[in-house]
């Protein structure tokens, strides 16, 4: 390479280097000017605002339910086990019994109420006693067994009723003319009753409470005329 060519290369290199230095100085000067003026590059910031939902005010409505009644209306069946049009009212209750072999053992009591007759109308109650919750008390003798029934009303008044379990029967019956049945009148006029049944010539006694809720309404609304 000739001396002239080397000189040209040095000159051009120097020129390019000067241009680069000038450009850098210009850029740095603009940046410093921008900072000095207090201008800050604007950056878009998107802030997501979450609004908590406020539960709407609600008015609570409380419906007062009618007390559930243990009494239900059913109909007797014929010899073919088909329902007839003859109604009765029944309820199941729980208590305890005692005799010479046990004290305060489990007792289930099933009560059936009916009204019958055309010219002379009678009110009939039958009471079935299940000792130990499953053993139905029966009268296997040839004559009726007598029972004394003590009824304690809410007011503290005590009522006395005598009844029988007929021969070969499994229920105690209280059968009187219309409106003269002490037991039914007590059911109609109380919310609860406490009942004690005693064998007149035996050792067995039965104690249980009766919830009368709904009995009056059901008894008075039943069509007994059929």
């Amino acid at each position: 390479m000739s001396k002239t060519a080397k000189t040209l290369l040095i000159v051009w290199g120097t020129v390019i280097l000067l241009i680069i230095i000038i450009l850098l100085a210009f850029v740095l000067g603009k940046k410093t000017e921008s900072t000095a003026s207090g201008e800050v590059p604007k950056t878009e910031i998107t802030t997501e605002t979450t609004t908590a939902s406020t539960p709407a005010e609600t008015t609570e409505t409380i419906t007062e339910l009618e007390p559930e009644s243990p009494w239900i209306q059913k109909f007797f069946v014929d010899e073919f086990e088909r329902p007839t049009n003859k109604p009765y009212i029944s309820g199941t209750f729980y208590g305890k019994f005692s005799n010479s072999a046990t004290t305060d053992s489990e007792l289930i009591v099933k009560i059936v109420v009916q009204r019958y007759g055309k010219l002379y109308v009678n009110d009939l109650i039958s009471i079935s006693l299940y000792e130990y919750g499953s053993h139905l008390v029966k009268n296997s003798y040839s004559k009726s067994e007598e029972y004394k029934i003590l009824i304690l009303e809410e007011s503290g008044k005590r009522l006395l009723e005598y009844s029988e379990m007929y021969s070969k029967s499994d229920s105690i019956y209280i059968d009187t003319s219309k409106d003269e049945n002490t037991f039914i009148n007590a059911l109609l006029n109380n919310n609860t009753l406490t009942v004690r049944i005693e064998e007149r010539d035996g050792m067995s006694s039965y104690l249980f409470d009766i919830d009368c809720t709904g009995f009056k309404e059901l008894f008075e609304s039943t069509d007994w005329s059929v």
Side-chain angles (χ1 to χ4, degrees), residues 15 61 94 119 129 146 161 171-173 178 196 208 221:
V15 171
T61 301
Y94 304 88
L119 183 59
L129 304 169
E146 294 185 348
E161 187 85 81
S171 295
I172 299 170
Y173 291 96
K178 177 184 176 182
R196 180 180 176 86
F208 56 95
S221 64

Side-chain angles (χ1 to χ4, degrees), residues 21-211:
I21 292 171
I22 291 168
L23 288 174
L24 285 172
F26 178 78
V27 171
L28 290 173
K30 292 293 286 182
K31 187 174 181 181
T32 303
E33 181 183 349
S34 174
T35 305
S37 65
E39 291 182 7
V40 179
K42 294 181 180 179
T43 305
E44 271 192 31
I45 300 174
T46 303
T47 304
E48 185 177 342
T49 305
T50 304
T51 305
S53 58
T54 304
E57 287 188 12
T58 56
T59 303
E60 185 177 358
T61 301
I62 299 176
T63 303
E64 202 168 305
L65 299 176
E66 290 292 329
E68 187 176 348
S69 173
W71 299 94
I72 57 174
Q73 183 191 81
K74 294 184 178 181
F75 292 87
F76 290 104
V77 297
D78 61 17
E79 61 270 28
F80 300 104
E81 297 188 356
R82 299 176 303 175
T84 67
N85 61 350
K86 295 181 178 180
Y88 67 92
I89 297 172
S90 68
T92 301
F93 306 95
Y94 304 88
K96 57 187 178 181
F97 80 97
S98 298
N99 55 31
S100 58
T102 187
T103 301
D104 294 343
S105 292
E106 180 186 3
L107 172 69
I108 294 178
V109 182
K110 294 187 178 181
I111 299 177
V112 172
V113 178
Q114 60 177 302
R115 174 169 281 181
Y116 68 95
K118 297 292 185 179
L119 183 59
Y120 299 103
V121 180
N122 275 29
D123 288 334
L124 172 65
I125 289 183
S126 62
I127 303 173
S128 300
L129 304 169
Y130 292 82
E131 295 178 344
Y132 304 105
S134 60
H135 178 70
L136 179 60
V137 176
K138 299 179 181 180
N139 178 12
S140 57
Y141 300 107
S142 58
K143 64 176 184 177
S144 297
E145 289 189 352
E146 294 185 348
Y147 287 84
K148 180 173 71 173
I149 300 178
L150 300 167
I151 304 168
L152 179 64
E153 295 188 301
E154 290 175 304
S155 64
K157 182 179 179 181
R158 297 167 181 258
L159 307 173
L160 176 62
E161 187 85 81
Y162 289 99
S163 59
E164 292 181 315
M165 183 180 288
Y166 302 124
S167 174
K168 310 302 180 183
S169 175
D170 56 14
S171 295
I172 299 170
Y173 291 96
I174 307 171
D175 193 357
T176 62
S177 60
K178 177 184 176 182
D179 300 327
E180 293 182 3
N181 191 308
T182 301
F183 207 135
I184 288 185
N185 287 334
L187 289 170
L188 290 170
N189 295 296
N190 290 272
N191 293 313
T192 57
L193 297 172
T194 298
V195 178
R196 180 180 176 86
I197 298 177
E198 299 176 351
E199 280 184 311
R200 294 197 68 180
D201 298 321
M203 298 287 293
S204 296
S205 63
Y206 306 87
L207 183 66
F208 56 95
D209 291 330
I210 297 177
D211 181 357

